Amino acid sequence: MVTRLNRSTLVSVLVVATALALVALGLSAIANAGPGAAGTAPEAAGKPAAASHVMQGHKMAPAKPVAFGGDPDGDGYIPAEPPVTGVEPSDEIPPHRYFHEFQANCSVNHTAPDDPIVYPGQAGASHDHTFMGNDTTNANSTTASLSAGGTKCLAPGDRSAYWMPTLYNGNEEVRPVGPQTIYYKAGVTDYRTVRSFPKGLRFVVGSPTQTAEEFRNHPGMVEGYECGESYHNYDFPAACPTSQDTQLNLRMQAPSCWDGKYLDTPDHKAHMAYPVVMGANQDVCPPSHPVALPMIEFKMAWPVNGDMSQVRLASGTGHSFHYDFFNAWDDATLDALVDHCIVGALQCNARGYDENNPGEGAALDENYELPRP
C-alpha cells in the first residue's frame, strides 16, 4: 500500500514539473519573439512601419525610432515648427519654359557605416555610406550640427548632407571623383509655386530591400545604370567599355511634394510624395502633400569600367541603390537660388547663372555666395 502511494505521488510530481517546464518555455519563447509577439502592443494604426536596412548584403534588424536630436519622444515623427498650412496644390499651366533648375555640385568627403536618418545616434549600425556635401555628417548629425559644419559643395551655403551606399569593385572602394551633379528642379508643372526646403527636412529615396522590378518601376527612376552605349540597366551591367572616359552613371529623382507637417516620419518617406500626373505635361502635388518643393535628382558617376562582375553596393545588388537627403542649406542662399532659377524658369549652374540667358544675372557671386549689399 505504501509503495503504490509513493508511485502515485511520484507520477503527480512529474506531471506538475513537466507542465511548469512547458509553461516556462512558452513564456521564454514569447519574450524572445520580439515585435509582433503575443502581449506586445501592435503598431499604431495609420503610422508607417519602421524602415529596414541591409548591411553588406545581409539583412539587419528593422530600424526603430529612438529618442534623438529633433525627436525627443522617439516616436519617429519630427514636426515642422511652424507647419505649413493653407496651401492648395496648383493645377494651373504657367508660361511654358523648358528649364527651371539649378545645380548643387558637391564632392565626396568620407565614407562610414552610419546613417543619421535611419539609425540616428547609432554609430556603425548601417551598411557603409558614401557622404557628399557636409563634411561632418555622421550617426550623431542633427540640424544644428550640420548647420555648424563645413561643406564640399561649391556653394558654401549648402551645408546639407547627401549620401548613398558605398560602391565596391571586389573589396576595393570606388568613390565618385570631383563635384557630383545634384539637380534641384521643379517637379510640378506650375514651377511658380515651388518653395525652399524647410530647415531640417530629411528623407530617403528608394530602398535597400527593393527588388529589380521595384527599382525599374520606381517613380524616381530615370534611365537606370548607364555606361558607354549601354542604357536601361536595372542591375550592374556585366561589362562596360574599357576607356579612360567611361564611367558608371545613374540618375534618380526624389519626391517633391511635402505634407507641410513633418520633417521626418518613421519610414522616412510618408511625409513626401511624388506629383500626380493629371494629364499630358501636367504634374500636380496630391492634396495630402500640397506643398511643392524642389525635386532633387542625383546624377552620380563612378570611375569603374571593364569587367563589372565584382561590382556591388554596400547594400547589395545594383537594384538596392537608394539615397538620403538632410537639408541644412543657409535659408537665404537657398531662397535666392529657388526664386531666381526655379521660379524664374532658368537653367542655372551652381552660381545660379544661366549661360543661355546672361542678361538675367546670377543669384550668387563668383565665390558662390550671396552678393553683399
Side-chain angles (χ1 to χ4, degrees):
M1 191 68 154
V2 172
T3 301
R4 186 178 300 128
L5 179 60
N6 287 342
R7 286 176 179 173
S8 175
T9 302
L10 179 60
V11 169
S12 299
V13 169
L14 289 174
V15 169
V16 170
T18 300
L20 289 173
L22 290 173
V23 169
L25 286 172
L27 290 174
S28 177
I30 291 174
N32 292 325
T40 60
E43 194 165 348
K47 290 187 176 182
S52 63
H53 239 46
V54 174
M55 188 175 193
Q56 298 293 350
H58 299 286
K59 290 186 178 180
M60 300 171 62
K64 297 179 180 179
V66 296
F68 183 84
D71 184 17
D73 59 4
D75 68 351
Y77 289 89
I78 300 179
E81 297 179 357
V84 176
T85 60
V87 175
E88 295 291 333
S90 173
D91 58 3
E92 294 184 18
I93 306 296
H96 176 70
R97 295 293 292 271
Y98 191 79
F99 294 105
H100 8 72
E101 65 185 50
F102 67 90
Q103 297 180 19
N105 296 137
C106 305
S107 299
V108 172
N109 48 55
H110 66 286
T111 61
D114 290 347
D115 191 323
I117 294 178
V118 179
Y119 294 101
Q122 303 169 67
S126 173
H127 54 247
D128 206 71
H129 283 110
T130 294
F131 294 90
M132 296 172 289
N134 199 295
D135 55 20
T136 69
T137 313
N138 59 35
N140 296 314
S141 291
T142 62
T143 304
S145 72
L146 292 175
S147 297
T151 184
K152 290 296 289 289
C153 298
L154 292 183
D158 186 4
R159 291 186 286 274
S160 299
Y162 310 86
W163 65 95
M164 59 191 175
T166 298
L167 186 82
Y168 294 92
N169 189 2
N171 292 321
E172 182 181 354
E173 181 182 294
V174 180
R175 296 188 184 187
V177 178
Q180 297 299 293
T181 302
I182 301 171
Y183 289 107
Y184 281 62
K185 302 181 177 182
V188 294
T189 300
D190 193 353
Y191 53 83
R192 303 168 302 183
T193 65
V194 176
R195 64 178 70 192
S196 296
F197 290 118
K199 186 70 69 66
L201 181 76
R202 66 210 74 175
F203 53 77
V204 178
V205 183
S207 169
T209 61
Q210 64 203 353
T211 64
E213 183 177 3
E214 290 171 334
F215 185 51
R216 179 187 301 110
N217 297 325
H218 192 279
M221 180 51 60
V222 181
E223 293 180 341
Y225 289 102
E226 307 171 357
C227 62
E229 298 300 319
S230 178
Y231 304 94
H232 304 291
N233 299 291
Y234 299 99
D235 206 336
F236 297 125
C240 289
T242 303
S243 166
Q244 184 177 359
D245 298 329
T246 300
Q247 299 191 85
L248 180 69
N249 297 278
L250 180 67
R251 293 162 57 190
M252 193 170 185
Q253 299 175 342
S256 58
C257 299
W258 179 45
D259 66 6
K261 301 175 183 178
Y262 298 105
L263 301 178
D264 197 12
T265 46
D267 69 348
H268 318 297
K269 296 181 180 182
H271 55 310
M272 302 295 296
Y274 284 88
V276 177
V277 178
M278 303 292 289
N281 299 317
Q282 188 180 21
D283 297 332
V284 179
C285 282
S288 59
H289 296 73
V291 184
L293 301 176
M295 183 268 286
I296 287 180
E297 178 182 309
F298 262 38
K299 185 180 180 182
M300 301 293 106
W302 294 270
V304 61
N305 54 45
D307 178 13
M308 302 284 286
S309 62
Q310 300 301 309
V311 173
R312 62 182 174 86
L313 292 169
S315 53
T317 58
H319 56 72
S320 71
F321 182 83
H322 56 288
Y323 67 85
D324 303 57
F325 170 69
F326 195 141
N327 176 44
W329 274 90
D330 168 68
D331 290 334
T333 304
L334 182 59
D335 287 345
L337 287 165
V338 169
D339 291 344
H340 185 69
C341 301
I342 298 181
V343 177
L346 299 173
Q347 185 184 22
C348 296
N349 58 19
R351 277 192 61 205
Y353 177 73
D354 185 346
E355 294 182 356
N356 297 314
N357 291 280
E360 297 292 338
L364 307 179
D365 64 20
E366 62 276 6
N367 296 315
Y368 300 90
E369 297 179 325
L370 286 171
R372 294 182 180 181

